[in-house]
Amino acid sequence: MRDAGADEQSSASEAGSSREGAMEEPVGARPSVVIVGAGFGGLRVARGLSPAPVDVTILDRHNYHTFVPLLYQVATAGLEPEEIAQPIRRILRGVPNVRFRLNTVMVVDLDRRAVITDAGEVRYDYLVLAAGSTTSYFGLDSLAQVTSALRDLDDAERLRDQVLGAFEAASAEEDPSRRRQLMTLIVVGGGPTGVELAGALAELRRQVLPHDYPDMDLSWARILLLEATDRILPGMPKALQGKAQAKLSELGVEIRFGAPVANADADGVTLRGGETISAGAVMWVAGMRAPPLADAVPTAKDSAGRLVVAETLHLPSHPEVYAIGDMAHVGDPETRPHPMLAPVAIQQAALVAENILRSLAGKRPKRFVYRDRGTMVTIGRNTAVAHIFGLRLSGFIAWLIWLTVHLVWLIGFRNRMLVLVNWAWNYLTYDRGVRLIRRASSRQHVSNGDEEAP
Ligand SMILES: Cc1cc2nc3c(=O)[nH]c(=O)nc-3n(C[C@H](O)[C@H](O)[C@H](O)COP(=O)(O)OP(=O)(O)OC[C@H]3O[C@@H](n4cnc5c(N)ncnc54)[C@H](O)[C@@H]3O)c2cc1C
């Protein structure tokens, strides 16, 4: 990757002083910084610039920030959607130089230094692209129609509806083979999200559903975790992968390795070898890629559509435009990117705020160095695996650390309290209080082959 040298430096400094083209939005005489996305990265940039002499506009398609790591708990009826979301305006309350706009950004015009949104154009002196990621179907885009993803609150609620809807349909089904089918849940992808989701579904089946459906034989219910490779939790030490696998098996999750999904329809999935598996719900958590907005930025991308940025986190040809978090690939696109994790986005955001201030002060930008403090994954009640600060932890201790970190990390005191109360309730009562089916269309996933009566 090319060095962030003097040429980059001077153009970055120019960016700060360029006030060409009257801005449509009324801003003061100070440089304007536009941030796209109020996720982990975008909010951290805004905070880093809060004491600075710049006007910051943060744009997001939602008026709330989502705490994505707990989405799977919404999907499995453990938490309410509102408990893991926080209004962006509340988060930014009391930060005088930052304002929020509820806009979806559709195009970035690098030459005119403008972003085109669903409500018009916003001009910038500096732009920070932090729009996260979207589900990747690895070219099998038709799967989006028949599987449930898990990337935002809508997905989580839809997934919950689909799982609970499948059991409702099973309870009314006379035909034993269709009943078995409806009670089969498939999770595709053995990464952290797939493991957490499969574990939570297994607990739902064991601890909650038998009380809801006393007349159903829940031993028919299956949870299958399909993984294309020969291991779950890639990136974790082998010993921890083994512990996670053992715990999932203990919970009754069937793990199938070397099982790449080639197709799916309303009746289940087809593996690449031709085997079909019938199911009541198929959950696709096999991969992520850059969000649609990345396609609308005319610059180099990697194979997952992420914007390739210099080590100082700006686009090589536009030093006034930064990309961070899930949508950025730092350095050579042929090398392995940083993992799509919140700490990566947060650390990059802190550096971007600093580099914008350095640019304004005429200083050279700094390079990004990721400080990896580790990862952790919870598998179920009292069990997690954690590889943190070089330590390999599993079981109850890892689970307690996981709980504490996620609680502290969650934004907002009210949300922390609500989540804590819900967790305590679920733990003590073995219950999941949020078993609501909100969308009628989710009530039956499996096609019955007959035309529906009008
Ligand atoms: C199910 C799941 C579980 C995860 N669990 C963990 C975990 O336990 N630990 C961990 O470290 N990481 C976890 N991650 C990864 C982590 O959530 C991401 O790496 C992190 O959110 C990336 O931060 P970001 O700022 O790049 O994007 P995000 O936090 O995703 O924020 C992107 C923001 O951009 C907005 N946006 C997108 N497109 C537009 C547009 N066109 N216009 C306007 N706004 C737009 C979105 O609404 C969103 O608010 C998980 C991810 C998933 C999907």
Side-chain angles (χ1 to χ4, degrees), residues 187-198 225-227 231-234 248 285-287 377:
V187 177
V188 185
T193 302
V195 166
E196 292 189 329
L197 186 58
L225 179 59
L226 302 182
E227 168 53 45
R231 71 189 67 170
I232 55 168
L233 300 180
L248 284 176
V285 287
V377 176

Side-chain angles (χ1 to χ4, degrees), residues 166-167 179-186 220-224 277-282:
F167 278 86
R179 189 183 259 216
R180 271 183 201 277
Q181 176 180 1
L182 285 159
M183 291 167 77
T184 300
L185 308 178
I186 294 181
W220 284 18
R222 293 172 75 199
I223 291 153
L224 261 97
I277 308 173
S278 303
V282 180

Side-chain angles (χ1 to χ4, degrees), residues 36-42 59-62 64-66 68-72 103-106 130-133 150-151 193 196 288 291 293 324-327 339-343 345 376 402 406 409:
V36 182
F40 287 103
L59 309 168
D60 201 292
R61 61 188 169 176
H62 298 130
Y64 53 84
H65 165 83
T66 306
V68 183
L70 291 182
L71 276 179
Y72 84 96
N103 286 159
T104 298
V105 176
M106 289 162 324
S133 51
L150 189 60
R151 188 59 186 91
T193 302
E196 292 189 329
M288 305 302 297
L293 177 61
I324 58 171
D326 285 3
M327 75 183 296
M340 286 182 170
L341 289 174
M376 48 186 128
W402 184 94
H406 283 74
W409 202 6

Side-chain angles (χ1 to χ4, degrees), residues 190-240:
T193 302
V195 166
E196 292 189 329
L197 186 58
L201 289 169
E203 291 198 329
L204 192 68
R205 177 190 61 180
R206 262 194 180 185
Q207 297 162 4
V208 183
L209 297 182
H211 302 291
D212 283 2
Y213 302 100
D215 51 339
M216 273 200 334
D217 182 358
L218 266 291
S219 68
W220 284 18
R222 293 172 75 199
I223 291 153
L224 261 97
L225 179 59
L226 302 182
E227 168 53 45
T229 70
D230 60 354
R231 71 189 67 170
I232 55 168
L233 300 180
M236 277 257 175
K238 262 208 157 108
L240 294 182

